[in-house]
Amino acid sequence: MAGLAALAAALMLVVTACSSSGGGSDADSPGGTPIVVGAMCSCTAQMTGGAFSLQPQVIQAWVDHTNAGGGINGHPVKVIELDDAGNPATALQNAKKLVQQYKVPAILFTEVLPSAAAYLKSTETPLIGFDLTFGPYSFPSLFTVGADEWTASVAVGDIAKRAGKQKFGYMYCNPGCEQPHAMAKASAEKLGIGYFGVPISLSQPDYVAQCLAAKSAGADALEIGSNGNGVSKVAGQCASQQYNPMLIGGAFVATKKVLNDPVLNGEKLWSSYANYQGDSTPPGAKVFSDAMQKYAGAAFNDPEFTPQYELAWAAGQMFKAAAEAGKIKPGATADDMRRGLYALKNETLGGLIAPTTYEPGKFFRTPCYYEFTIDSGKLTGGDKPNCVDQSVLDAITG
């Protein structure tokens, strides 16, 4: 985390129905006092490599789509999104601003630095989403939407096991990925398959030694812990050494370049959400893709857009579902929001996520994920969730 304090100060994006970024003038948009919700991200953090740079457009599309459909309980929705740029002090300041100044009833998020997470935990402000970068966190006021990092660590091993593979290999980034390495190892052990881990650096000139080590260890399934460019590079070098294991990864790497890389054709990807590119797209995923195309087409068609951006949308949809269930009005409190969240039973957001039920005083973590296949430039499958035994997840999360 060294050097984060030197990053740029917070960028505040206030997303409203009257924003100029599109769609807010639909005839059906409600008027009057808005229901306000907060949002936090590290959208411009250098350490994430721009992985969340398009989140503001996704949030804007959700706002425009929601307001065009009549808003929430007859009121427009307004999102106040604060970007901490990866700065811990700014993250804490943003969290306090949302809670104390704007008095939001809930916060949508895809990543939140530990400094802010500790504060928000103490205030019991509902956090809707899950952390892709700095977690995993687990406390009752965190309402996860989709598979988080712990479930992901089980998902990759489960995909390998269901494919009949004997040993799962993981090339994990070093430094910084010791925890994912430990999680993957524990998951493989609980699933009853072999495991081989080897560190890699994103800056090293080649990965031949790691490829040969994994090949020698008998890893017939492999996850490459890198971004899309790194995955393509490592997979290509492994193939040059006649090492062609079943490749498994996260859908967050599925950029246009990755999808069209012949070396990666056939790779299996886990995702927290249903596939919006598939032949049997669930209604909730189709709503996402249609709204993104309508209100944020430039972002949706950006070569770097990946399924990870469904998280911001899903968080918004969960807020809407809970607000409707709890009959939330402008000026609602965190307590009002919790009542709405607890009222939801087996919520799937139209098939976008696996059935989700929150209980008072308990942290929810789904044992379910979606499996995609890279198939000639697009993602196939992933219309229904796969679920591991809850006992496997419980055993590795303690």
Side-chain angles (χ1 to χ4, degrees), residues 3 12 19 33 35 41-42 150 175 195 198 202 240 246 266 274 285 302 351 355 398:
M12 184 173 87
S19 169
T33 305
I35 293 174
C41 78
S42 297
W150 284 107
Y195 178 78
V198 60
L202 302 184
S240 72
M246 175 184 177
D302 189 291

Side-chain angles (χ1 to χ4, degrees), residues 26-275:
D26 290 67
D28 293 334
S29 297
T33 305
I35 293 174
V36 180
V37 60
M40 295 181 66
C41 78
S42 297
C43 300
T44 57
Q46 292 180 3
M47 68 179 298
T48 64
F52 306 103
S53 61
L54 299 175
Q55 179 175 315
Q57 291 92 316
V58 178
I59 291 291
Q60 179 66 60
W62 175 73
V63 169
D64 291 341
H65 167 77
T66 300
N67 287 336
I72 297 176
N73 299 328
H75 294 271
V77 63
K78 171 181 173 179
V79 178
I80 300 173
E81 181 170 20
L82 305 181
D83 178 4
D84 57 48
N87 187 317
T90 302
L92 177 57
Q93 180 183 27
N94 288 349
K96 290 182 175 180
K97 186 178 293 185
L98 289 173
V99 173
Q100 299 174 13
Q101 179 179 334
Y102 294 107
K103 301 186 185 302
V104 298
I107 295 173
L108 316 179
F109 80 109
T110 55
E111 60 280 330
V112 58
L113 285 156
S115 57
Y119 167 75
L120 293 169
K121 178 181 178 181
S122 71
T123 67
E124 297 185 348
T125 301
L127 288 171
I128 303 176
F130 70 83
D131 187 273
L132 281 163
T133 305
F134 307 108
Y137 305 116
S138 55
F139 45 88
S141 56
L142 194 165
F143 296 85
T144 59
V145 184
D148 70 358
E149 300 100 315
W150 284 107
T151 303
S153 71
V154 177
V156 289
D158 188 57
I159 291 172
K161 182 178 181 179
R162 288 191 298 103
K165 303 305 178 182
Q166 301 300 309
K167 181 175 284 189
F168 169 64
Y170 181 25
M171 293 184 181
Y172 59 94
C173 60
N174 182 43
C177 293
E178 291 79 7
Q179 184 184 46
H181 162 52
M183 292 161 63
K185 181 178 180 181
S187 297
E189 290 175 352
K190 293 302 298 183
L191 289 166
I193 60 173
Y195 178 78
F196 173 77
V198 60
I200 59 173
S201 170
L202 302 184
S203 62
Q204 64 188 80
D206 71 70
Y207 302 89
V208 171
Q210 284 84 358
C211 292
L212 292 176
K215 180 180 180 181
S216 177
D220 50 0
L222 179 69
E223 178 179 17
I224 301 167
S226 182
N227 57 22
N229 289 333
V231 169
S232 291
K233 181 178 180 180
V234 177
Q237 292 187 9
C238 286
S240 72
Q241 300 301 313
Q242 289 74 53
Y243 177 46
N244 297 288
M246 175 184 177
L247 295 175
I248 306 173
F252 56 84
V253 305
T255 62
K256 290 290 194 299
K257 180 178 179 180
V258 165
L259 294 180
N260 288 285
D261 186 340
V263 175
L264 301 179
N265 197 51
E267 179 175 7
K268 301 294 184 179
L269 303 177
W270 69 267
S271 177
S272 302
Y273 309 101
N275 186 9

Side-chain angles (χ1 to χ4, degrees), residues 245-325:
M246 175 184 177
L247 295 175
I248 306 173
F252 56 84
V253 305
T255 62
K256 290 290 194 299
K257 180 178 179 180
V258 165
L259 294 180
N260 288 285
D261 186 340
V263 175
L264 301 179
N265 197 51
E267 179 175 7
K268 301 294 184 179
L269 303 177
W270 69 267
S271 177
S272 302
Y273 309 101
N275 186 9
Y276 57 83
Q277 300 181 28
D279 296 328
S280 302
T281 302
K286 189 175 190 307
V287 168
F288 166 72
S289 60
D290 288 350
M292 285 299 300
Q293 198 67 261
K294 181 176 182 179
Y295 297 111
F300 190 53
N301 295 299
D302 189 291
E304 297 301 312
F305 194 91
T306 73
Q308 75 176 15
Y309 285 109
E310 285 182 281
L311 170 51
W313 177 273
Q317 289 292 76
M318 187 62 82
F319 174 83
K320 181 175 184 289
E324 290 174 345

